[in-house]
Amino acid sequence: MTTLSLISGNCGRRNGGEDHGSELLHRFSGKDLFASDLLRISFRKGDGIWSKDLEGHRIRNRNKFRVTAKIKKGKQYDYPWPHDVDPNISSGHLSYLSHFKPLTEKPKQVTLPFEKPLVDLEKKITEVRRMADETGLDFSDQIAALENKYQQALKDLYKHLTPIQRLSIARHPNRPTVLDHILNITEKWVELHGDRAGYDDPAIVTGIGSMDEKSYMFIGHQKGRNTKENIARNFAMPTPHGYRKALRMMKYADHHGFPIITFVDTPGAFADLKSEELGQGEAIAHNLRTMFGLKVPVVTVVTGEGGSGGALAIACSNKLFMLENSAFYVASPEACAAILWKSSQAAPKAAEKLRITAQEHYRLKIADGVIPEPLGGAHVDPAWTSQQIKITITQAIKELENMNTEELLQHRRLKFRSIGGFQEGIPVEPKRKRNMKPSEVNMPKAADIELEIENLKKKILEAKGPSDPITTQAIEKLKKDVDKEMTNAFISMGLQEKLESVKLELSKASKDTSSQPLNRNLKEKVDKIMQEFNHNLSQPGAYLGLKQKLEKLNLVSRLIEKEERKQKLKAEINQKVPAELKEKMELLKNAEEKISKGEPVDKELMEEVEAVKKELVEVLKSANLEVVGATKKNVVTAPPELKEKIEKVNTEIYEEIERVINEAGISGRIEELKAGIAKGSSSEDIEKAEAKIKEEILATLDVEALKEKVKSLRVELDLPEETVAEGEISAENGKFQ
């Protein structure tokens, strides 16, 4: 309790001019008078009479009065640093300036969906070890074999990861955060707070740290290690205050000459109403503009996922590196799938199309390098991953420190200018038309697919047998294309995980019960997956390429089956036909060849041919084969003289067309048309240009003279009037065939 005494003179003066003093005591016995009660005490105008609240407690005592009150003692401000700070500290981290403390509990192990096969192997290894402990037997060979199998499976799995699987690793709950990496790679570290505008955003951490006795400014997105931390850090989604804090630290580093290291790990900027009101877009834009003017080296490392402008606001650097299983994207695969395919289940397909992985960014020259991770992801060995980051950063800084300020700024500017294929010094066409539609030149059309089917059909029918290498190679290629399309379709439909689990169960079931029929529950699972797949496939306009290839494969399968039956039937007939009849059949073939060539045939030979035919029919009937009828092959082969005349007429027609093109000056337009087709102009423009060129050719061409030549050729070939010879120009239809 603190005692407050107020002493005053001449406080109350009555009409006689005499001084009055009073000592005030609280009117309630056993209670103290607080200072706040004095505020309710007032004097009546100027007559010096006390208010009614204190009328019963007035004590006259000449010209003095005393007030005794109890005032509550205020709590001392709780500063983050201790009272006994060592001023001579030379190493270590100032942990009391950071909210990032070691976890009291070990994080729970999280298994990603595609890692389930590895979990089964781990359970087997654990079970064998438990048996060895319980029984006392030596199972070291079995354990070693299982561990080798586990390592091989782990290696195979992580060497063939899909983009969506890499993204799931980047989002792993146990993945090391930015502060984990900073504390692993720095000898000294102090975290700095605040945007100097009244707020400190915990989603972005900033501070100064030293590596190899050199100071750096570190800036990064900070995710939480558990649900409580994620809520406190807003899941690493910064508000405008966070970007302004980062901007303040960048200017601070630029002023003092500290190289800037930024770490990206955010799904994107926080897109709530309050952030937009506070200028989220302006804060990001301000950062982008300022980073291109920083006169110190800037290196960025993407440690997890980098989402859109929220990531780019601290990533406009001279060097950009990405961890092996990190991702950088303009829109998350789930959002992209919801926009394009109206379902987030198509996220795997969207992730593949967006090219979000570190490997794709390095191939496209957006990232300057890929930092390796241990098998299983960075969370398996965070310390090793942090050291790889440190090595990469130090090498990059050494390279950038050799540049002067102007070269450093130019290097950063050209890095982003070159993204997308822009080349310095080459002028850009100011009015070049950009066709945003997919090019129709390289797209497979229905006619092309039908032609491919017909060619394959011809190959199958002309093949000597089902094992013809040309046919087999074409069919195998088709099967591989269909398998690839099917895999992509399963991924885009979100059925890949279900399919993998069913495959695993099938392999187990086949090993356990090879002779027994398929388990009913397993069969129901397979039927359910295929039913869902067929339902999605039957949607109008969906998976057109896959549908066409499946139809093509079905047709090819039917043709192969038909050809195999034909060969089998042929072999059976050859076995049942006697040798004498085979010799006579050779005679029949020779006779047919003579007839087809137009050579004269003796009457006796014709009678012998008819006898052979009757005998062959009897043999087939005796083999229980029904003879439906006989057909004649109509093989029309023109004599050599007529062939020469046809070629001569065609040559004259083509020469006449070439002459007209040269005289009319149409060759330039033809070249323009070819260039338009190569650039991917629309089909309507191409058709219009073709029609115009044909009209000009027909207007200049002497059609009547060419028609006379074609008519005379018809007479010699004895063709009907409706037949149009190759290379004929018809005035009625107005087209060059």
Side-chain angles (χ1 to χ4, degrees), residues 460-461 463-467 554-574 625:
I460 293 168
L461 295 174
K464 297 176 181 178
S467 60
N554 289 334
L555 176 63
V556 168
S557 301
R558 288 198 300 270
L559 287 171
I560 291 171
E561 190 179 350
K562 185 179 177 182
E563 189 65 23
E564 286 176 352
R565 285 203 306 267
K566 178 181 169 184
Q567 295 293 334
K568 188 178 178 182
L569 183 62
K570 190 175 178 182
E572 288 179 3
I573 292 171
N574 286 333
L625 294 171

Side-chain angles (χ1 to χ4, degrees), residues 417-624:
R417 292 273 282 178
S418 62
I419 294 174
F422 178 81
Q423 296 179 0
E424 286 291 333
I426 300 176
V428 180
E429 298 177 27
K431 294 183 179 179
R432 182 182 172 187
K433 292 181 180 179
R434 286 343 189 247
N435 186 13
M436 301 306 291
K437 294 181 180 179
S439 176
E440 296 178 2
V441 177
N442 298 323
M443 285 180 67
K445 298 178 181 178
D448 297 337
I449 293 168
E450 288 176 7
L451 181 62
E452 194 176 347
I453 291 171
E454 287 298 323
N455 291 336
L456 193 57
K457 183 178 176 181
K458 191 185 291 184
K459 283 181 182 179
I460 293 168
L461 295 174
E462 291 176 356
K464 297 176 181 178
S467 60
D468 186 31
I470 299 171
T471 312
T472 308
Q473 188 178 358
I475 293 166
E476 286 298 321
K477 183 179 180 299
L478 178 61
K479 284 181 179 178
K480 284 181 182 177
D481 291 344
V482 171
D483 285 341
K484 188 177 179 182
E485 291 279 346
M486 289 274 282
T487 304
N488 293 336
F490 270 102
I491 291 170
S492 64
M493 292 177 190
L495 300 173
Q496 184 66 14
E497 293 175 7
K498 294 180 182 178
L499 187 66
E500 291 295 333
S501 63
V502 168
K503 280 183 181 177
L504 191 63
E505 289 181 24
L506 278 170
S507 62
K508 286 182 180 178
S510 61
K511 288 178 183 177
D512 297 338
T513 56
S514 56
S515 59
Q516 294 181 6
L518 191 64
N519 187 6
R520 185 178 176 183
N521 294 333
L522 197 56
K523 189 175 183 302
E524 286 178 358
K525 283 183 183 179
V526 174
D527 292 340
K528 190 176 179 182
I529 291 172
M530 290 311 299
Q531 187 177 357
E532 190 175 350
F533 176 78
N534 291 328
H535 174 72
N536 293 333
L537 193 66
S538 62
Q539 296 294 326
Y543 309 103
L544 294 176
L546 177 59
K547 287 177 184 175
Q548 289 167 349
K549 286 179 181 177
L550 282 172
E551 288 176 8
K552 183 177 171 184
L553 187 61
N554 289 334
L555 176 63
V556 168
S557 301
R558 288 198 300 270
L559 287 171
I560 291 171
E561 190 179 350
K562 185 179 177 182
E563 189 65 23
E564 286 176 352
R565 285 203 306 267
K566 178 181 169 184
Q567 295 293 334
K568 188 178 178 182
L569 183 62
K570 190 175 178 182
E572 288 179 3
I573 292 171
N574 286 333
Q575 286 178 0
K576 293 179 181 180
V577 173
E580 297 176 0
L581 189 58
K582 286 181 181 178
E583 292 177 1
K584 293 180 180 179
M585 284 175 69
E586 289 294 328
L587 180 65
L588 183 61
K589 282 183 183 178
N590 294 333
E592 285 180 352
E593 286 178 5
K594 285 183 178 181
I595 293 168
S596 63
K597 290 179 181 178
E599 296 179 6
V601 182
D602 298 338
K603 189 176 180 182
E604 294 177 1
L605 183 60
M606 289 299 295
E607 289 175 358
E608 193 174 350
V609 166
E610 290 297 326
V612 169
K613 283 181 181 179
K614 288 178 182 179
E615 194 175 347
L616 181 60
V617 169
E618 291 298 327
V619 169
L620 293 174
K621 283 181 179 179
S622 64
N624 295 326

Side-chain angles (χ1 to χ4, degrees), residues 11 13 48 64 128 147 211 341 350 361 553 587 601-602 611 704:
C11 287
R13 181 167 300 191
K64 288 185 180 181
V128 172
E147 285 179 345
M211 292 189 303
W341 293 284
H361 281 78
L553 187 61
L587 180 65
V601 182
D602 298 338
E704 294 299 326

Side-chain angles (χ1 to χ4, degrees), residues 61-174:
N61 187 14
R62 290 197 178 181
N63 49 3
K64 288 185 180 181
F65 74 90
R66 177 175 291 168
V67 177
T68 303
K70 183 174 77 173
I71 299 174
K72 287 184 178 179
K73 190 175 182 180
K75 187 180 179 183
Q76 188 179 4
Y77 185 78
D78 188 16
Y79 289 100
W81 50 82
H83 293 286
D84 53 348
V85 178
D86 183 7
N88 300 318
I89 187 170
S90 59
S91 65
H93 307 123
L94 302 182
S95 57
Y96 47 81
L97 292 180
S98 176
H99 301 291
F100 190 78
K101 309 295 180 188
L103 290 174
T104 55
E105 296 180 2
K106 190 178 180 181
K108 294 180 181 178
Q109 189 174 1
V110 178
T111 303
L112 298 174
F114 66 89
E115 293 178 326
K116 287 179 182 177
L118 298 175
V119 175
D120 295 336
L121 282 171
E122 283 181 349
K123 286 180 180 177
K124 285 182 181 178
I125 293 169
T126 308
E127 188 177 348
V128 172
R129 282 177 176 162
R130 183 181 57 79
M131 288 173 61
D133 293 337
E134 289 177 356
T135 60
L137 298 174
D138 186 14
F139 289 101
S140 56
D141 294 341
Q142 288 83 348
I143 292 170
L146 284 171
E147 285 179 345
N148 289 336
K149 189 177 179 182
Y150 176 83
Q151 289 298 327
Q152 188 61 39
L154 182 69
K155 196 178 291 183
D156 293 341
L157 181 63
Y158 274 85
K159 280 188 176 179
H160 303 90
L161 289 172
T162 61
I164 197 68
Q165 288 172 344
R166 290 194 185 276
L167 182 60
S168 63
I169 297 171
R171 293 172 175 172
H172 198 285
N174 297 339

